[in-house]
Amino acid sequence: MRPFRAEAHGYVAELEPSERIVLAQLAGDVAQMLQEGVPGRAPGPAAPVPDDVWSPPGWTGPLPGGHGSDATPPPDPAVRRLLPDASDDADVATEFRRFTQDDLAARKVGRLVLLARMLVDSEPSEAAPFAVTREDAEDVAGALTDVRLVLAERLGLRTDEQVEGLYDELDREGEDGPVDEVGGAPRRFLVSVFLLTGLLQESLVDGMLADLRAGRGRPS
């Protein structure tokens, strides 16, 4: 993997085929978690997906529109990290969740699916550039952040010190460690993916900030 760098047409990283598949799978898994993890949603039909458009595994279509949430916080702590309380005041948090939770979840699902489809768009057989336009960069960065938040919850990460300690954890020899609840994957594998998404997200955001300072921000 090579992190993102800014180029004339946007931002370009380099990913191995296996890295693309893993990241696409995780983005699809997180999108599915959001679809299923918002309490009290009124059921609605899934939007049709053309036969020639790749969809993440388990994908059943975007969240239906409207404000169907009952303002109950999601029971899964990973989904709660994606849809946190907006205030320490319980009443304010409840009202905010009632009127914004569905829309926020739908926006996150949309950008996760965008990322997943971009990752497998050309299905390269060897390491190849992964290009993100300036128009899509904000959504891709947000999707990478959401994948990292879910992995952080599953790995029990709460502090910067714990994140820094992951490098030492990978350096230690031994077995893969306990099996985690995300797809039954070993902890060592999830740690590697967490660090990979961090490098991608940080380098993409750094490129966006550098462009902004140079007056090359997202086109209007």
Side-chain angles (χ1 to χ4, degrees), residues 2 12-17 20 122-131:
R2 185 171 63 186
V12 181
E14 189 167 290
L15 297 173
E16 297 286 344
R20 288 173 178 259
S122 56
E123 297 188 24
S125 58
E126 56 187 24
F130 173 49

Side-chain angles (χ1 to χ4, degrees), residues 120-139:
V120 298
D121 183 37
S122 56
E123 297 188 24
S125 58
E126 56 187 24
F130 173 49
V132 175
T133 65
R134 286 183 170 83
E135 291 87 348
D136 289 333
E138 185 177 339
D139 285 337

Side-chain angles (χ1 to χ4, degrees), residues 148-166:
R148 292 194 82 225
L149 285 171
V150 170
L151 289 174
E153 179 61 35
R154 299 306 194 219
L155 290 168
L157 303 175
R158 294 289 184 274
T159 66
D160 291 341
E161 289 76 13
Q162 288 175 319
V163 173
E164 289 298 320
L166 294 178

Side-chain angles (χ1 to χ4, degrees), residues 96-128:
F96 191 87
R97 190 176 291 279
R98 187 189 311 280
F99 291 106
T100 65
Q101 182 164 258
D102 282 0
D103 289 340
L104 180 58
R107 180 167 179 247
K108 287 177 178 287
V109 165
R111 65 192 190 188
L112 285 160
V113 174
L114 170 68
L115 171 61
R117 288 177 175 162
M118 289 173 65
L119 283 163
V120 298
D121 183 37
S122 56
E123 297 188 24
S125 58
E126 56 187 24

